[in-house]
Amino acid sequence: MKITGAEIFVNALKKEGVDTIFGYPGGVVLKVFDVLYGEKDLKVVLSRHEQGATHMADGYARATGKPGVVLVTSGPGATNTVTGIATAHMDSIPLVVFTGQVPTKMIGNDAFQEADIVGITRPCTKYNFLVKDIRDLARTIKEAFVIATTGRPGPVLVDLPKDVLADKAEFDYPSEVKIRSYNPKYVGNKWQIRQAAQAIQKAKRPVIYAGGGVILSNAAAELKDLAEMVQIPVALTLMGLGAFPGRHPLFLGMLGMHGTYQANMALYKSDLVVAIGVRFDDRVTGKVDEFCPEAKIIHVDIDPTSIRKNIHVDIPIVGDVKFVLTDLIREIREMQAAGETWEAIPRTWHRQIDEWRTEHPLSYEWDEEVIKPQYVIEKISEMAGENAIVTTDVGQCQMWTAQFYKFERPRTFLTSGGLGTMGYGLPAAIGAQMAFPDRLVVDVAGDGSFEMNVQEMATAVIQKLPIKIAILNNGYLGMVRQWQELFFNRHYSSSDLTGQPDFVRLAEAYGAVGLRAARPEEVEPTIRKAFETPRPVIMEFVVNREENVFPMVPAGGANHQMMFGAERKKPEGRLRVARG
Amino acid sequence: MRHIISVLVENKFGVLSRIAGLFSGRGFNIETLSVAPTLDPQISQMTIVTAGDDQIIEQITKQLNKLIDVIKVTDLTEKEFVEREMVIVKVSPPAEQRAEVLRTCEIFRGRVVDSSPKTYTVLVTGDDKKIGAFIELLRPLGIKEIIRTGKIAIGRE
Ligand SMILES: Cc1cc2nc3c(=O)[nH]c(=O)nc-3n(C[C@H](O)[C@H](O)[C@H](O)COP(=O)(O)OP(=O)(O)OC[C@H]3O[C@@H](n4cnc5c(N)ncnc54)[C@H](O)[C@@H]3O)c2cc1C
Ligand SMILES: Cc1ncc(C[n+]2csc(CCOP(=O)(O)OP(=O)(O)O)c2C)c(N)n1
Ligand SMILES: [Mg+2]
């Protein structure tokens, strides 16, 4: 039986096991929304902005590992998704974004609400399609899901002209598709893996530098096995947080610009860096020449372009983290069992690391009167439990969360790392809560970022999602202000947000619950009350306005030359050291 | 160093723009680019001449391979290969030099493809050196217009 393109679309999504679509309607996709009307197996979450819908799908994808699905109309609907798509692209997050398009005959005519979205998103998608013939529709949707979720994941956009959605064809959904020019490699080269095992055997000062690829590959267990069997300390990137337990004795914390002293020093002094699912981002390496000058580098990555893009690699291994680590662990076990000389890593290396740890621990200056943002994060971390999902906005709020929250499990920390998109936190929390209605979902928001997608409060309330939003209200674009303080003579040019709305009343206006804490002793009761309230809650924490994120590597500086804050200039006794 | 990279791609709408976008987006340069279908009309062959150090060329070939529509990438520079380019030059020599144009053309085994009372249009194929030399000899005779195809290249057996 022949069915319409709109029906083929909905049936195809069901075949893919999609349960939630994040979207926004408009002229050319009304046919699809009509098919979705009354559809039982597919929930449609109506956002309040297409950027919001895209970040929601992204949050859903990061929390579940499944692709996030977006459906929007042509023209402005499509262009509004671009920031969300670029955010997912930079962090390798699987999305399938469906955009309506004007009828095929009108494409190129500057028709009403026409935008060349395939042209616009070419550089920020893994791949994109314009479907010109209904007979290609089902196969194209299949290909889109395959490309988005395999190899190095990423967003795929499918542009659907109005006439294609109206035409009729048989629904024949392929169970598999073969794309001759697309064959991601999962299993690593055996010889290279042996080389890696031998390098690890010989290393005196090894360190693991792991990141988002471990989470994308669902390989946290393998990473832990490798680290523990050889007792290699582990530093994680921002994108990797959660891939290794935050309270593990081998954990060094995050490395890079706002990383810990011990993580950056360990890399600087290391003789072997085992890089796993990372892309040597400039926020991580600092000045490249001084990143790990004494080390041999092993690099495991599924994307050959990540290898030797920014830095020379001695032992490249192209493959999926889970496959490669499984083989590497087996190789090491065999070497150990065969009684090959296998010296444990010299204790002096671990002792040296402990010295760095105590020399400059993560810390902040305590204040009896004013709330310190780091304290808020510590309290949330303590009270939320290991299973909670935390999303963030971008800026100081994000960095304090990365530093002071102890993430124990993968897919519990959702943040925009590569693009650094302000306004990501709230919609991502909505997406995560849609996926896991029973888990605690907390959005750590900046007062500036929050307003970039504040409209999604309506979505949270209407969908009855009990997300908890903790706004660290410093009345500034804090991260910008920090740079202006340190590098631009305290010229707070366009970074003062004085005149912000009353966030408690804003919450109430949306039909959510608003709570405010303005003194340190109010922090804990506010969080408790929010966590006990089965509705969306905004907690506004009025925090120290000019607090800075330390330690810090100035842009272009070397990682071993970090700037420190409180501990150098403040009297003893007021220093709070982060609990390990 | 200059590299000639041969790329087999799906002959699909938008592929050229993906390749061009890759080069411009990542700051790689394209010196010349030629595209045409192969014996299989679903596949096109591109020849790209680019320049860069080893690390850049490695990135270029990896990034090309990563594009979904790219079937095969070969850096011909690493192998034995034959390259050719075609140039068409319109010359308008002073009357006493007209014969000189024809002579030069003959030496380079070129052909006159058009002529007018004031101009000759001549065509030559060859590698870089030959074409460069040809142009240099014509230059003093008064070149009006010049067009080059960009290189095509093929590996030797
Ligand atoms: C304000 C701000 C400050 C920041 N400061 C820091 C900082 O101090 N420290 C820090 O670390 N980051 C920081 N970042 C984040 C930084 O910009 C990068 O996003 C981050 O460092 C990249 O993490 P990653 O290397 O783990 O790579 P990702 O972006 O997570 O990339 C994953 C890598 O793994 C590969 N991969 C994917 N799937 C697989 C698989 N299945 N198998 C194998 N490989 C796979 C991919 O090809 C890719 O190379 C900051 C961001 C912001 C916005
Ligand atoms: C969309 C977007 N615009 C601008 C920036 C640049 N930027 C990075 S951090 C920041 C300040 C964020 O302020 P806020 O959300 O209040 O967080 P805070 O740093 O104060 O915690 C800005 C403007 C960005 N990352 N994203
Ligand atoms: Mg702020």
Side-chain angles (χ1 to χ4, degrees), chain A residues 342-360:
Chain A
W342 193 281
E343 290 165 51
I345 292 166
R347 284 234 192 82
T348 46
W349 179 229
H350 287 122
R351 223 175 293 132
Q352 169 67 73
I353 286 173
D354 285 338
E355 265 171 42
W356 287 323
R357 248 187 238 277
T358 38
E359 204 175 323
H360 293 293

Side-chain angles (χ1 to χ4, degrees), chain A residues 144-199:
Chain A
F145 277 90
V146 167
I147 292 172
T149 54
T150 53
R152 178 179 185 167
V156 175
L157 182 138
V158 184
D159 205 16
L160 302 169
K162 188 177 178 188
D163 53 329
V164 171
L165 292 170
D167 285 350
K168 287 190 167 184
E170 296 288 340
F171 178 58
D172 181 13
Y173 200 66
S175 58
E176 263 183 282
V177 283
K178 179 114 191 61
I179 305 164
R180 67 172 148 191
S181 48
Y182 176 70
N183 302 293
K185 189 163 170 284
Y186 284 80
V187 180
N189 179 296
K190 284 264 162 338
W191 193 80
Q192 294 288 85
I193 290 174
R194 176 155 309 153
Q195 295 289 302
Q198 285 166 358

Side-chain angles (χ1 to χ4, degrees), chain A residues 118 122 125-130 132 147 152 179-182 303-310, chain B residues 10 12-15 17-18 26 40 42-43 55 58-59 62-63 65-71:
Chain A
V118 168
R122 207 167 273 141
T125 49
K126 182 169 173 188
Y127 196 65
N128 57 20
F129 298 90
L130 168 63
K132 284 178 164 166
I147 292 172
R152 178 179 185 167
I179 305 164
R180 67 172 148 191
S181 48
Y182 176 70
D303 179 354
T305 69
S306 284
I307 297 176
R308 294 204 184 115
K309 181 166 59 182
N310 304 332
Chain B
E10 297 287 348
K12 273 201 252 176
F13 144 96
V15 174
S17 128
R18 284 181 207 277
R26 294 189 179 268
D40 176 350
Q42 289 182 0
I43 298 181
Q55 192 259 344
E58 179 178 332
Q59 264 302 309
K62 283 175 166 180
Q63 292 285 356
N65 262 310
K66 182 172 166 181
L67 291 180
I68 310 260
D69 293 316
V70 169
I71 301 165

